[in-house]
Amino acid sequence: MSPQEYLGIIHCIAGLKERTRHAWMKSGRQESVAEHSWRLALMAYFLRDRFPDADLLRVLLMALLHDMGEVFTGDIPTFEKTDADRAHEHAQRDVWIASLPAPFAAEVRALFDEMDAGATAEAQLVKALDRMEAVITHNEGGPATWLPLEYELQHTYGTADAAFSPVLRDLRAAVNDEVDAVIAALPRTHHDC
């Protein structure tokens, strides 16, 4: 790969830092796709002892690359994203993958095929943690940043994705405890009746 090809890839990936997500951080600014992916990778790393048979390098690469299509389409919240949006994002992502030089095009294509199929422990782990990271970020941002439908979504988003693993089910239950605590800390409106 030439230095120019390398820099072209790096400049394209920088789009992950520039694309904001639906979630707001506790600092009061919107989270970037890159920040979400970075924390997702670290969440997976710190669970490596609980998933000793998982290929950590593949897990980390999946976590870092999983939202690469959003460089081209932006982030669309899960409750708004349509099948047409997903197809467009995947098509844009696939054009980017095909433009990568060898051996990266084949390696990245294989990672996305694995994630899209969702059949391996690595792909399932990344998907479950991807959903949990979003819920955790929403908890940190607080209910002032939530839409009304997110009160329920905070309890349900990704629960089914975590069901394959006792470790992830326990972690998701702990995240739900945080959701409950965040909601319970909201000021209550008192009405005189």
Side-chain angles (χ1 to χ4, degrees):
M1 171 181 342
S2 73
Q4 291 75 22
E5 289 174 310
Y6 177 81
L7 288 173
I9 293 167
I10 298 308
H11 293 314
C12 183
I13 290 168
L16 293 174
K17 297 193 301 182
E18 297 168 355
R19 301 297 181 271
T20 56
R21 289 174 50 85
H22 169 70
W24 291 81
M25 299 170 58
K26 65 183 171 184
S27 67
R29 69 172 176 80
Q30 279 184 280
E31 173 189 43
S32 73
V33 176
E35 289 165 324
H36 160 71
S37 298
W38 164 79
R39 183 156 76 167
L40 170 57
L42 287 175
M43 287 172 67
Y45 170 75
F46 285 109
L47 283 177
R48 74 177 188 193
D49 62 326
R50 305 304 302 270
F51 295 89
D53 295 333
D55 181 329
L56 183 62
L57 178 58
R58 280 197 357 257
V59 168
L60 294 176
L61 288 172
M62 286 178 190
L64 292 170
L65 289 170
H66 79 286
D67 277 339
M68 190 61 200
E70 293 182 8
V71 164
F72 311 105
T73 63
D75 174 66
I76 301 170
T78 189
F79 48 84
E80 293 178 1
K81 190 176 270 190
T82 66
D83 288 341
D85 293 330
R86 280 183 204 79
H88 178 68
E89 181 179 318
H90 286 194
Q92 294 297 310
R93 172 200 77 190
D94 292 348
V95 168
W96 174 75
I97 292 169
S99 76
L100 296 172
F104 302 102
E107 292 172 1
V108 173
R109 174 78 269 153
L111 283 172
F112 276 101
D113 288 347
E114 184 176 344
M115 284 188 284
D116 290 345
T120 64
E122 290 83 358
Q124 292 170 351
L125 175 61
V126 170
K127 185 175 184 178
L129 291 177
D130 175 36
R131 271 62 172 160
M132 262 190 265
E133 198 286 332
V135 173
I136 291 166
T137 299
H138 273 67
N139 282 345
E140 292 167 346
T145 68
W146 302 357
L147 298 172
L149 64 85
E150 290 178 302
Y151 284 83
E152 175 65 23
L153 197 58
Q154 281 294 96
H155 285 103
T156 60
Y157 187 57
T159 301
D161 299 306
F164 80 96
S165 161
V167 171
L168 294 179
R169 283 193 309 267
D170 289 348
L171 182 56
R172 189 60 177 93
V175 171
N176 269 0
D177 290 344
E178 287 188 350
V179 171
D180 292 338
V182 167
I183 292 170
L186 286 172
R188 298 289 176 211
T189 304
H190 298 285
H191 299 285
D192 295 324
C193 295

